[in-house]
């Protein structure tokens, strides 16, 4: 009514959940007490903006890794390389000072050899850390470029094959996996297999030290979506970590477990590209539940 009275146009964007679409609404005056409404479907624009926002966040995380995570091992390499330089200076001095007393050289060198060994160990560890980070970034970039093949996926069969491929890992940890009947979904079978491989792998890796690993996988259909739950009885995740475990290179315990901190980042990126999502519910010491949501499909 304000537009019809004042003649000043009014614009706004809105989302219609029932249609799953975004619209831009323009209300313009056609004269006194007259107005017209123009509605434009901007769903594609909004989706593109969401993709750009997600990519920008990913780039920010990569810059953070490059400036901090990669710099840290480089500082170690530089520092311990300098230490080696000092040790070799000391070595030259010892060799010069004791050149006429060879029987005293070996005892004098023992301490220096320990310092050399310690410095080389730290340098090798830092180089391996940098290598893991760089490989992780490469893996992440490949996931973002991989071509997707949308098809109806028999999740029960997919999980059956995936678990068979992880048989050695499961038995090594004396673990147990229970898979219920799962709904079908529309997805990329290769990409979604990687999602569940990472989730199951984490469930086994972060098992509770006082009990054998038990992973339950079950699912259900909900309003056109297929939802899958990967539930474990592991160490659980503190609430303060639950919002950031999907961030680039975030690790719950960097000192206790191997890994590059990329698994859940890759999971989230794959699901984003598949128009899916993932959430987590967890209690420390009780275990975790990761809920994956994908576009539903009727079971054959």
């Amino acid at each position: 009514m304000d537009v019809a009275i004042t003649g000043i146009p009014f614009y706004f964007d809105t989302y219609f959940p029932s249609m799953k679409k975004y619209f831009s609404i323009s209300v313009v005056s056609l004269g006194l007490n007259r107005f017209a409404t123009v509605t434009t479907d901007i769903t594609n624009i909004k989706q593109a903006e969401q993709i750009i926002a997600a990519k920008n966040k990913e780039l920010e995380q990569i810059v953070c890794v490059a400036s901090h995570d990669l710099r840290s091992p480089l500082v170690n390499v530089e520092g311990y390389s300098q230490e080696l330089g000092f040790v070799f200076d000391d070595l030259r001095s010892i060799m010069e000072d004791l050149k006429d007393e060879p029987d005293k050289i070996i005892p004098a060198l023992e301490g220096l050899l320990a310092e050399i060994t310690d410095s080389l160990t730290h340098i090798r560890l830092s180089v391996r850390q940098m290598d893991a980070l760089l490989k992780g970034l490469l893996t992440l970039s490949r996931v973002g470029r991989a071509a997707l093949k949308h098809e109806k996926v028999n999740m029960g069969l997919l999980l059956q094959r995936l678990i068979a491929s992880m048989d050695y890992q499961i038995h090594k940890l004396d673990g147990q996996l229970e898979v219920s009947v799962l709904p079908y979904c529309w997805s990329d079978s290769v990409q979604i297999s990687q999602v569940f491989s990472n989730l199951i792998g984490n469930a086994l890796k972060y098992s509770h030290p006082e009990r054998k690993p038990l992973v339950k996988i079950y699912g259900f259909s909900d309003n056109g979506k297929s939802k899958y739950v990967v539930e474990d009885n592991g160490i659980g995740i503190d609430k303060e970590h639950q919002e950031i475990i999907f961030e680039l290179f975030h690790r719950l315990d960097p000192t206790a477990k191997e890994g590059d901190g990329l698994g859940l980042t890759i999971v989230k990126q794959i699901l984003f590209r598949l128009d899916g999502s993932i959430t987590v519910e967890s209690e420390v010491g009780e275990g975790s539940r990761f809920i994956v949501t994908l576009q539903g499909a009727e079971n054959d």
Side-chain angles (χ1 to χ4, degrees):
M1 289 298 295
D2 289 342
V3 174
I5 295 172
T6 66
I8 300 173
F10 180 65
Y11 309 96
F12 65 96
D13 295 343
T14 188
Y15 177 70
F16 286 83
S18 59
M19 301 175 67
K20 298 180 180 179
K21 287 182 176 293
Y22 291 90
F23 292 96
S24 176
I25 312 296
S26 303
V27 185
V28 295
S29 174
L30 298 179
L32 184 62
N33 295 327
R34 298 175 62 205
F35 67 90
T37 301
V38 180
T39 302
T40 305
D41 185 346
I42 59 170
T43 304
N44 290 338
I45 295 174
K46 287 293 185 181
Q47 289 175 343
E49 289 176 350
Q50 291 170 357
I51 292 173
I52 292 171
K55 289 297 181 183
N56 284 337
K57 183 177 180 181
E58 182 183 316
L59 285 173
E60 289 175 3
Q61 293 177 336
I62 291 174
V63 170
C64 179
V65 169
S67 62
H68 180 270
D69 294 59
L70 286 175
R71 176 171 170 74
S72 181
L74 279 173
V75 169
N76 278 341
V77 170
E78 181 182 13
Y80 284 105
S81 296
Q82 289 179 347
E83 288 292 329
L84 283 177
F86 297 146
V87 169
F88 283 113
D89 288 341
D90 292 341
L91 178 60
R92 278 190 288 269
S93 296
I94 290 173
M95 297 295 290
E96 181 66 28
D97 294 343
L98 299 178
K99 62 182 178 180
D100 297 326
E101 300 176 86
D103 56 318
K104 294 182 180 180
I105 292 179
I106 292 179
L109 293 181
E110 288 180 349
L112 294 181
L113 289 174
E115 291 184 40
I116 291 173
T117 300
D118 182 64
S119 294
L120 288 174
T121 298
H122 283 286
I123 289 172
R124 291 189 184 107
L125 288 173
S126 295
V127 169
R128 284 201 292 269
Q129 183 183 358
M130 283 190 292
D131 184 57
L133 290 170
L134 291 170
K135 286 180 178 176
L137 290 172
L138 180 60
T139 300
L140 191 63
S141 69
R142 286 173 176 169
V143 168
R145 299 195 308 268
L148 296 177
K149 179 184 178 182
H150 286 275
E151 59 187 345
K152 181 187 284 191
V153 180
N154 181 337
M155 290 298 293
L157 182 59
L158 183 146
L159 264 297
Q160 180 182 337
R161 292 171 176 169
L162 177 60
I163 291 171
S165 71
M166 303 177 72
D167 185 68
Y168 175 78
Q169 181 182 357
I170 296 168
H171 279 81
K172 183 179 179 181
L173 295 171
D174 198 16
Q176 181 180 353
L177 264 71
E178 297 179 358
V179 182
S180 302
V181 176
L182 300 173
Y184 283 44
C185 67
W186 284 102
S187 189
D188 181 295
S189 58
V190 174
Q191 297 286 304
I192 208 63
S193 180
Q194 185 172 0
V195 166
F196 282 89
S197 175
N198 285 339
L199 293 178
I200 296 170
N202 278 352
L204 295 172
K205 182 190 298 183
Y206 294 101
S207 59
H208 198 286
E210 297 178 2
R211 50 182 177 259
K212 296 179 180 179
L214 172 61
V215 183
K216 298 180 180 180
I217 303 173
Y218 52 94
F220 55 93
S221 298
D222 179 26
N223 195 28
K225 301 290 185 179
S226 290
K227 296 194 174 186
Y228 307 95
V229 183
V230 179
E231 179 180 313
D232 64 63
N233 65 341
I235 60 175
I237 305 167
D238 192 276
K239 289 189 182 299
E240 66 180 281
H241 289 284
Q242 291 178 22
E243 292 298 320
I244 58 176
I245 57 173
F246 299 101
E247 292 183 2
L248 197 64
F249 295 115
H250 178 78
R251 299 179 63 201
L252 291 177
D253 188 353
T255 61
K257 298 290 182 180
E258 296 181 357
D260 54 19
L262 258 179
L264 291 178
T265 305
I266 290 175
V267 163
K268 187 173 182 178
Q269 178 161 328
I270 289 174
L271 290 172
F272 177 79
R273 296 186 70 215
L274 293 171
D275 295 323
S277 63
I278 184 169
T279 57
V280 61
E281 300 171 355
S282 185
E283 294 290 338
V284 174
E286 300 297 325
S288 304
R289 290 173 298 281
F290 286 87
I291 302 98
V292 173
T293 301
L294 292 164
Q295 186 62 41
E298 293 186 4
N299 287 24
D300 291 339

